[in-house]
Amino acid sequence: MTSSSTLTAHNLARLLQATAPHAAAEGIGLDQIDGIRVDSDGIHLHAIATDRYTVAVARARLQAAAGRPSEPFARTVHGHSLPTLRAWVDAHRGDAALNLTAEADHLVLAGPRGTLRIPAADSEDYFDWRKLVHTTLADRPADEPCTRWTSRLWERWQHAGREITTWHTGGTTPLLVLGADFIGLQAPHRTAPEQAQTTAEALDAWRASLGPDTGQRLDLANVVPDPSPREYPTATTVPQMSENLVRQTLAATAGLLDAPSEDAGAVAAYALSGVHAWTAYQLLKALRQADPDLAAATVADITDQLEDGAIGEWAWEAAIDEGHDPQQWADARAKPTTVASS
């Protein structure tokens, strides 16, 4: 028995493309779910990705390999290796047969254009996606009619608001979409009576992948522990960020007045904090007056970057984009200060 699976390049590319948008970002302290999980049960190859808020599972049926029975395996290809994997797969014709073999810390792919040996973790602490799906379906009546949607219409709601509320009563009723100053409807995809399905019928094709329901339950919110709590205030709207910046300015001003005059480091830190907070507040105020939509989008982008947890990396790349040399700045900070003796 070998831990290997064979499928076409087209199918593997499809699995990666379908799940990549749901993968957790690197650098946020969630290494367990960083990247894409490749899970073979000997019948299908599954690709799984999650960012704790969404979960995506795509699958492709494996090609039969006479004389080479396959045993199940699962490996996680982390985010930094995905571009290499996707480029290697895309270099093949769609009908090319690719063989995946699991090693202890690597995934080996062999195809007409050579072999790729890519780091891939066993990740025994990866969440049980099958149990999670069963949890979601546990209280859903098996004979409940399914509603079909046209996914290409979903992107039309992206400007309805950063956070929206939805309501759907099932069947052929429209989906109600509510934003702060927005309301909309989306009609279900029309289905001929003979094509109508119940929940059980729609999921029947997935039973081989999901396996039996063990009765154990798993909450999506608890799939992985939260990252370390941030020590700075966050804001998701322009008013919230404006308030945070004004409060920070006042706090820094008060700290500057209370700091011991002989503590030059503390005085400088309070002064710099207050200056930067006030500058940011004035710039945000001007942006909100000039273009409220752009201000809201900018705050949303900043929030995403702060939640990503790697603002140092963002700042490093920004410095390079602006034509600066951040390494030179780092070297200057590292140089010891020389104090002349009298």
Side-chain angles (χ1 to χ4, degrees):
M1 298 279 286
T2 59
S3 298
S4 65
S5 298
T6 303
L7 73 169
T8 65
H10 166 75
N11 279 336
L12 183 53
R14 177 176 59 82
L15 300 186
L16 298 175
Q17 182 181 33
T19 54
H22 301 266
E26 294 182 71
I28 62 173
L30 297 175
D31 293 341
Q32 309 99 306
I33 58 173
D34 163 34
I36 293 177
R37 180 77 160 175
V38 180
D39 182 326
S40 172
D41 62 7
I43 300 174
H44 293 93
L45 184 72
H46 306 83
I48 307 99
T50 182
D51 55 6
R52 294 189 307 138
Y53 306 105
T54 64
V55 174
V57 182
R59 71 177 183 181
R61 194 169 186 87
L62 298 172
Q63 295 180 351
R68 290 193 304 162
S70 174
E71 62 181 11
F73 70 85
R75 296 290 185 273
T76 301
V77 180
H78 290 294
H80 58 81
S81 297
L82 287 177
T84 300
L85 173 59
R86 296 188 69 170
W88 186 86
V89 175
D90 291 343
H92 288 80
R93 286 181 38 163
D95 60 354
L98 304 182
N99 180 259
L100 285 68
T101 302
E103 296 183 350
D105 298 313
H106 288 81
L107 191 64
V108 181
L109 297 94
R113 299 184 67 87
T115 301
L116 174 68
R117 189 169 183 266
I118 196 165
D122 191 359
S123 301
E124 293 182 356
D125 58 347
Y126 197 83
F127 77 101
D128 188 337
W129 62 272
R130 294 176 174 88
K131 183 188 299 183
L132 183 61
V133 174
H134 279 302
T135 300
T136 304
L137 298 173
D139 299 323
R140 188 181 181 97
D143 58 352
E144 181 177 330
C146 288
T147 302
R148 289 191 178 184
W149 304 101
T150 302
S151 61
R152 62 183 175 82
L153 298 180
W154 291 349
E155 64 183 17
R156 300 184 183 183
W157 304 111
Q158 60 182 317
H159 299 299
R162 182 173 174 82
E163 294 186 1
I164 60 174
T165 300
T166 64
W167 179 257
H168 178 243
T169 57
T172 60
T173 61
L175 174 72
L176 176 67
V177 180
L178 289 170
D181 294 297
F182 183 93
I183 188 169
L185 301 171
Q186 178 172 330
H189 185 71
R190 291 185 178 181
T191 304
E194 64 274 12
Q195 295 178 322
Q197 292 180 310
T198 63
T199 301
E201 291 169 340
L203 289 167
D204 190 58
W206 273 87
R207 298 199 184 283
S209 292
L210 295 175
D213 183 3
T214 63
Q216 296 178 307
R217 299 294 171 241
L218 182 62
D219 185 1
L220 177 57
N222 298 320
V223 161
V224 292
D226 291 333
S228 300
R230 293 180 293 271
E231 296 180 356
Y232 50 83
T234 58
T236 59
T237 66
V238 172
Q240 288 175 349
M241 184 166 286
S242 296
E243 178 185 352
N244 283 354
L245 291 172
V246 173
R247 291 181 63 181
Q248 178 60 28
T249 302
L250 294 175
T253 302
L256 180 62
L257 296 175
D258 296 338
S261 57
E262 66 275 8
D263 190 344
V267 171
Y270 280 121
L272 192 62
S273 174
V275 167
H276 285 177
W278 185 246
T279 301
Y281 167 74
Q282 292 289 0
L283 290 173
L284 181 58
K285 180 181 177 181
L287 181 59
R288 179 177 55 185
Q289 293 172 343
D291 191 335
D293 290 340
L294 180 58
T298 301
V299 169
D301 288 341
I302 293 173
T303 300
D304 288 342
Q305 292 167 8
L306 293 177
E307 290 180 350
D308 180 69
I311 56 176
E313 296 178 15
W314 286 93
W316 189 279
E317 295 176 1
I320 295 176
D321 291 341
E322 295 292 336
H324 305 298
D325 184 357
Q327 186 59 54
Q328 186 179 33
W329 298 342
D331 294 341
R333 291 196 307 271
K335 289 183 179 179
T337 303
T338 303
V339 179
S341 58
S342 57

